[in-house]
Amino acid sequence: MPRDHLQSAERSAAGSAAGTPGRTSPDAGRPDAGRPDAGRSDAGRSAADGAEAPFLELLARGAPAEAYEQPVLLARAEGRPAERIAALERAKLLALRVRSEMEGRRRREAELSALFETAHDLAGLRDLDAVLRAIVQRARSLLGTDVAYLSLNDPERGDTYMRVTEGSVAARFQQLRLGMGEGLGGLVAQTARPYVTDDYFRDDRFQHTHSIDTGVRDEGLVAIVGVPLTLGDHVIGVLFAADRRTRVFEREQIALLGSFAALAAAAIDTANLLAETRAALSGLERANEIIQDRSAVIERASDVHDRLAELVLRGGGVHDVAAAVSEVLDGTVEFTEAPAAPARALESSRAEGHAVRHGDDWIAAVAAGDELLGALVLRGHPGLDPVDQRTLERAAMVTSLLLLARRSAAEAEQRVRGELLDDLLDARDRDPRLLRDRATRLRADLDATHAVLAARLEGGTAGAGHEADARRRLWAAASHLAATRHGLAAARDGGTVLLLPLAPGDTATELARRTARELGTAVHEPVTVGASAPVGPLLARPDTVASAYAEARRCLDTLRLLGRAGDGSAAEDFGFLGLLLAGERDIAGFVDRTIGRVVAYDERRGTELLRTLDAYFACGMSPARTKDDLHVHVNTVAQRLDRVGRLLGDDWQSPQRALEIQLALRLHRLSGVTPPPPAQA
């Protein structure tokens, strides 16, 4: 700054401090305690007065940053007092801050102006190529890069090609085609994510190919940033900015390039819409729907409370809240369990009661008192304004209320289901109509066919505390399974009892095995499940459920005695042993399962397979003695036994099967069924 200007400013400041006639000090009438230099001598205040003047002049004429050192250096060279130099230093720093803020605002104004001009061009779109060239030119100008260019995807060839370039001098570069995943541009086009490299040829994050590297080398590019052009979920191209020297692109620059990419995508979309509009009126209607949808998103702040309240009233879940807030905040909001959330950020949010930033995300703790239930995570929104932050916090509060309500409802339903099953097992004098009404409210049909299952943990527990915890987990898993299957569950006899309906074609054995697997997976320990034979309707007799439960427990004990802990089975799986386990002694069912196919064959064909089997076992399983007993040829006996083998299976003569078949034959005779008349087998 010229010396005479500085001296003039200092004289002006000194005159003001001395009370020059005709002038009024700007600090007149203010208490001395409120001044920044309060407590200093008059000489010190005089030295500080007017320190801002040279810097105001520098600000007014837009001087470069290095010029702000001149007033300080000049004061030191002239031997000015220390107070004066300190005041100049403070004024310099303040002026530089003001200058930086002004430059930032000018830069943002320039960016907004360029975006506005581009949007204006887009609004009056007549030539798509002209709009894309304008976007590329403005992106290059605002980012101050050597080159800017735009590529579009070719769906037919499965690659991306150069559409518009600005600042390029290499013909080979301007004609490049990049396969998906090849080079930085191919990677952006494939992943739909921005990528930045400050040194292209030393960056191994993407696939280098000879043709692409040759084109980039011809152009002399070193630092490159690329952002995707997206329409909905589809990437249609990439917008690039590049320098012929090493350079680190700032986040704001990448975001600005992304804004231009969005405008470029919108320009392409608009051009397509205009073409469709010329072909059919439906294109215009679709464009109008898009405009209405975009306008509805802008009103998110006014309707967010109503939407969350509506979700709660209609019984929405946690993920419904996350989806609604995602739409309101125009981002991705997810509910995360507490162990999966960032621990420090989650604890900080819970302690402060506010959403906290974690990298590019925002974390809002979902808590009930001191208990952490999880977190709502807003992904990829580093710049969140206070209104949206409060929206995220309110959504977290609503989520915690929903979780608590769901937990209370689940616990209440578990208790109610357990109480109903206890009444079916114990209170045999209860009114059947009341029991049926209670079951209907729980969506359980007591007139359907059910199986009663007894479940017990088999894991080696490490102590009473661990065993109690494991039983609670088994009870919770069984209650959840019963609720989802429209059944009932209760804790009983150190284990759990379940009453589950049998689906058409399902068997008690299959249900027991499936339940053992599901409960074992839920509690991470082996669970043994014994099942009763199918029963129903449950209210036909007062002791129906109790008898079935006793049968299921006997089956459970048998499984454990046979060393099949962790398995599931029903009495029907144990052959004649099942008769001992079954509470109702299902003799007819045992006979039908064992020799029912032979009985049906004799009845249908008029053969003597049952009589032959009786004689065969009575003769010590000797065909020669059997043919004498039946007075037939030995070949006839062999043919009949071969037919029996095809009906009952190849292992019908094994000791266990033979014993069951003999018992079934004896029970069949004792049941009073008259054998069919003799005929040729």
Side-chain angles (χ1 to χ4, degrees), residues 107 122 133 265 320 356 414 486 495-496 522 537 557 605 628 647:
R107 183 173 63 254
L122 179 60
R133 280 195 299 271
D320 295 324
V356 298
Q414 289 176 2
H486 304 294
T496 301
D557 294 337
R605 301 290 183 91
D628 294 336
L647 292 172

Side-chain angles (χ1 to χ4, degrees), residues 15-158:
S16 299
T20 304
R23 298 185 179 180
T24 302
S25 171
D27 296 329
R30 289 171 47 184
D32 185 65
R35 292 173 55 91
D37 54 354
R40 290 187 295 174
S41 64
D42 292 341
R45 286 197 299 271
S46 178
D49 288 341
E52 300 87 352
F55 299 106
L56 290 176
E57 183 178 346
L58 291 172
L59 286 171
R61 58 188 179 86
E66 55 270 17
Y68 287 74
E69 290 291 341
Q70 294 300 320
V72 179
L73 295 175
L74 183 59
R76 288 175 178 166
E78 293 179 348
R80 297 284 181 159
E83 292 85 351
R84 176 64 178 178
I85 294 175
L88 288 171
E89 285 285 0
R90 290 193 297 272
K92 178 193 73 174
L93 294 177
L94 182 60
L96 287 174
R97 286 174 55 190
V98 173
R99 179 182 182 277
S100 176
E101 181 68 22
M102 292 173 62
E103 286 187 350
R105 292 190 178 185
R106 282 195 294 267
R107 183 173 63 254
R108 287 191 290 272
E109 288 175 0
E111 294 170 355
L112 291 174
S113 176
L115 290 173
F116 177 78
E117 292 174 0
T118 304
H120 183 269
D121 293 343
L122 179 60
L125 177 65
R126 292 296 179 270
D127 183 358
L128 177 61
D129 288 337
V131 174
L132 294 181
R133 280 195 299 271
I135 290 173
V136 172
Q137 289 170 358
R138 288 166 182 155
R140 178 193 177 199
S141 174
L142 285 177
L143 268 66
T145 57
D146 298 323
V147 181
Y149 49 101
L150 183 147
S151 67
L152 294 180
N153 291 359
D154 188 341
E156 295 182 359
R157 296 183 55 173

